[in-house]
Amino acid sequence: MANILVVDDELGIRDLLSEILNDEGHSVDVAENATQARNARLAAGYDLVLLDIWMPDTDGVSLLKEWAMAGTLTMPVIMMSGHATIETAVEATRIGAFSFLEKPITMQKLLKAVEQGLTRSAANASAAVASSQSKADALTPQAPTPAALLLDGCNGAVEAAAPLAPHLEQGPLAHQGFNLDRPLREARDGFEKAYFEFHLAREGGSMTRVAEKTGLERTHLYRKLRQLGVDLGRNRRNG
């Protein structure tokens, strides 16, 4: 699950993007102008920001420049606009924007851009951790780790301690039993509910991946899950 900030002065767009990203298991905050976006950025760290270019108080490019100059542009920023020129998009990219989405934004383009941005965010975080670890290792004197070794007091032999077996979290079961001694409709509904709950659990609650896996159109899938009484929130990814 990623923390995402959506900045757009249009309520309908904020709600739509939030709904789609929430369905994908992400935690989403919204801001309707640059002032709210500044406050949100100061209060929390985000893995990704979707930023509208044209806003009533401060435009998105200026806000992007503020973050870059302040050293707080530590997350990928995807710019959005329905009226931006090529020059504006190029300027935003030069300042540090990750990519640009033209409105109206299709769900396919949105999810692809978000996935690419989060991949970049994860790569940057890993590189930062590796760099910090390398610096710490260079400053820390190397010493043997006695916790990993057992000393034989009789002959001085050293044997490696057996590693602890990792705790494996049991995932959803692919094979389940069903009560067939009931009317066909009830038996079929029970199977379908278990089928969709299995795929939702395995895909971490991602409606997009479940739709692809089951071969159903997303809107049809929503209707089907509601009809069967499937809890859509239970299987979402946890942070």
Side-chain angles (χ1 to χ4, degrees):
M1 183 180 72
N3 294 322
I4 299 176
L5 175 64
V6 175
V7 186
D8 198 296
D9 63 326
E10 295 185 45
L11 175 60
I13 293 179
R14 293 198 305 273
D15 288 346
L16 176 62
L17 298 184
S18 297
E19 180 181 356
I20 293 174
L21 295 173
N22 275 317
D23 286 342
E24 292 301 305
H26 301 302
S27 175
V28 183
D29 291 335
V30 296
E32 63 180 80
N33 52 47
T35 300
Q36 291 185 5
R38 290 189 190 97
N39 294 335
R41 180 64 185 87
L42 290 174
Y46 292 100
D47 301 303
L48 183 78
V49 174
L50 290 162
L51 178 59
D52 187 28
I53 289 182
W54 301 115
M55 293 186 294
D57 53 350
T58 302
D59 65 88
V61 175
S62 297
L63 180 59
L64 182 73
K65 188 179 299 184
E66 285 181 24
W67 284 342
M69 294 179 64
T72 55
L73 190 59
T74 56
M75 65 289 174
V77 175
I78 299 174
M79 308 300 293
M80 307 179 296
S81 178
H83 309 286
T85 62
I86 295 178
E87 290 78 9
T88 303
V90 170
E91 182 185 3
T93 303
R94 180 184 58 79
I95 295 172
F98 173 73
S99 63
F100 175 84
L101 288 176
E102 185 177 3
K103 297 178 181 179
I105 302 171
T106 65
M107 185 174 70
Q108 182 179 6
K109 289 184 178 180
L110 171 67
L111 294 180
K112 182 177 180 180
V114 168
E115 180 180 0
Q116 291 174 342
L118 292 177
T119 299
R120 168 73 66 84
S121 181
N124 290 343
S126 298
V129 171
S131 177
S132 298
Q133 186 62 48
S134 297
K135 292 178 181 179
D137 291 342
L139 297 175
T140 303
Q142 297 299 313
T145 55
L149 303 174
L150 294 175
L151 177 63
D152 186 342
C154 298
N155 55 20
V158 177
E159 61 183 56
L164 295 176
H167 172 69
L168 298 178
E169 182 179 353
Q170 184 175 357
L173 299 178
H175 300 282
Q176 303 182 35
F178 296 94
N179 179 16
L180 302 180
D181 187 20
R182 52 181 175 168
L184 174 61
R185 181 179 181 83
E186 293 181 10
R188 183 180 60 199
D189 289 347
F191 166 77
E192 289 185 348
K193 183 176 181 181
Y195 172 81
F196 287 116
E197 287 179 340
F198 165 76
H199 284 291
L200 280 167
R202 190 167 69 173
E203 301 299 339
S206 170
M207 296 294 292
T208 298
R209 288 197 291 272
V210 171
E212 293 174 352
K213 191 72 176 181
T214 60
L216 294 178
E217 194 272 329
R218 189 184 179 101
T219 303
H220 183 196
L221 177 60
Y222 269 116
R223 288 200 301 266
K224 191 69 175 177
L225 295 180
R226 292 193 180 98
Q227 176 187 345
L228 295 171
V230 175
D231 184 358
L232 299 180
R234 188 181 67 180
N235 295 308
R236 286 181 179 169
R237 292 185 291 266
N238 294 322

